[in-house]
Amino acid sequence: MSTPNPPVDVTDPHDTMVIAATPDADVRPAPVPSGRGLAELRAESVSCWFGERKVLDRVTLTMPAGEITALIGPSGCGKSTFLRTLNRMHEMVPTASLAGQVLLDGEDIYDTSVRITAARRDIGMVFQRPNPFPAMSIADNVLAGLKLTGRKASKDEKEEIVERSLRLGGLWNEVKDRLDAPGGGLSGGQQQRLCIARSMAIKPRVLLMDEPCSALDPTSTRVIEESMRELAQEVTIVIVTHNMQQAARVSDKTAFFLATHSTPGAIVEHGPTKDVFENPQDPRTGDYVHGRFG
Ligand code: ADP
Ligand code: MG
């Protein structure tokens, strides 16, 4: 039941200072506190409802700049809902409501002065099922989000963005000789990496990934895991995963979510991944990460 998210959601056709596609933009020293460097994302007491039903209760979590934060927990505990609050997708559900704050480098993305399109451009998302445009070429898939910004990039700039993004997605070497071939012709794992490249092309500050490997074979999963370390040098990553080995392998921090039939989802424990896995403070965390439930 994953919702396809066309790149129109992450761009703003009326915004002109959208992408830093020129080489100059890369020359700036990073991180820049108020510029476009690595950004911290912080949720402050976020609660969520669908209609009358509360599904998340006062979630507070810092997702540090340039780190990979894993969200783990049994099905239905609110991980996807929480992820969707982080780029303002939760509010797309008609019955949905929310309390709390989401701060991107200290700035509340729900502030009335922040445009929803700007928030979604800064905070990109990759879904469980890869959703490239199947008939569109590999190169055009990468550039899709960019085009919608209305920004004119030269042919050279576009080529540079395509290569850079595909390298970040860990796909360049496999497709560099067939950039004009349709995206739909790639394997599932390659399509997912194409979606990562498409997200990265508009230089987001945060990349949200909702079980990005759960529909993929082990080899594709490994390739994506390997590229995540490099990605984290460019973008703050938040990943939902049911794969405990994956969380332990790729993440710096882990947050364990839990809901019961009578209580909404909440964070039981969070901290450095090593601590959560090897020395959990709450017995429920230990039981979950060792596969005793969920
Ligand atoms: P997880 O990703 O951890 O499996 P979800 O965030 O998808 O959990 O769901 C949390 C709770 O919210 C579940 O009880 C689910 O049934 C409910 N829920 C999710 N999406 C919707 C929706 N669009 N409308 C109503 N309830 C929803
Ligand atoms: Mg989910």
Side-chain angles (χ1 to χ4, degrees), residues 48-234:
C48 293
W49 293 260
F50 290 106
E52 298 283 293
R53 180 157 171 257
K54 190 177 196 181
V55 300
L56 266 188
D57 185 38
R58 288 168 296 169
V59 172
T60 294
L61 182 67
T62 298
M63 293 147 276
E67 288 195 3
I68 300 174
T69 299
L71 312 181
I72 62 170
S75 278
C77 67
K79 304 177 300 295
S80 294
T81 303
F82 177 63
L83 209 63
R84 287 196 299 264
T85 67
L86 300 178
N87 78 340
R88 297 192 59 171
M89 281 181 59
H90 178 65
E91 66 201 74
M92 288 166 74
V93 178
T95 60
S97 53
L98 170 125
Q101 288 186 313
V102 177
L103 307 166
L104 180 63
D105 263 355
E107 196 181 334
D108 189 352
I109 66 166
Y110 285 94
D111 191 278
T112 48
S113 68
V114 177
R115 284 195 282 178
I116 190 164
T117 43
R120 294 213 190 114
R121 187 191 61 225
D122 281 345
I123 306 171
M125 187 134 166
V126 172
F127 296 85
Q128 183 173 0
R129 285 219 318 269
N131 58 352
F133 299 107
M136 201 183 261
S137 75
I138 292 169
D140 284 345
N141 260 287
V142 175
L143 296 170
L146 229 104
K147 273 189 183 154
L148 291 159
T149 65
R151 185 189 182 284
K152 295 275 181 286
S154 71
K155 191 166 172 288
D156 285 354
E157 275 175 331
K158 283 182 183 166
E159 280 174 8
E160 204 178 295
I161 294 166
V162 167
E163 176 170 344
R164 182 182 169 282
S165 307
L166 287 169
R167 281 190 189 283
L168 280 168
L171 187 58
W172 173 249
N173 286 331
E174 286 159 66
V175 301
K176 63 184 178 202
D177 299 325
R178 49 172 170 149
L179 295 172
D180 294 330
L186 298 173
S187 74
Q190 289 173 327
Q191 289 189 14
Q192 191 62 304
R193 284 179 277 144
L194 179 58
C195 293
I196 294 171
R198 181 176 68 188
S199 296
M200 292 305 293
I202 59 167
K203 295 201 171 183
R205 308 191 72 201
V206 178
L207 187 61
L208 310 175
M209 307 176 100
D210 197 350
E211 299 190 46
C213 301
S214 65
L216 308 182
D217 61 88
T219 307
S220 305
T221 298
R222 190 172 47 82
V223 177
I224 289 181
E225 284 183 10
E226 283 167 2
S227 63
M228 281 178 68
R229 214 11 85 190
E230 211 169 312
L231 276 177
Q233 301 192 0
E234 308 260 329

Side-chain angles (χ1 to χ4, degrees), residues 254-275:
T254 294
F256 172 51
F257 285 67
L258 200 58
T260 70
H261 68 279
S262 56
T263 56
I267 290 183
V268 169
E269 179 166 354
H270 67 94
T273 294
K274 198 171 162 37
D275 294 350

Side-chain angles (χ1 to χ4, degrees), residues 17-40:
M17 46 162 289
V18 183
I19 23 151
T22 61
D24 287 348
D26 287 322
V27 185
R28 260 187 304 174
V32 186
S34 58
R36 298 277 305 173
L38 289 166
E40 174 190 280

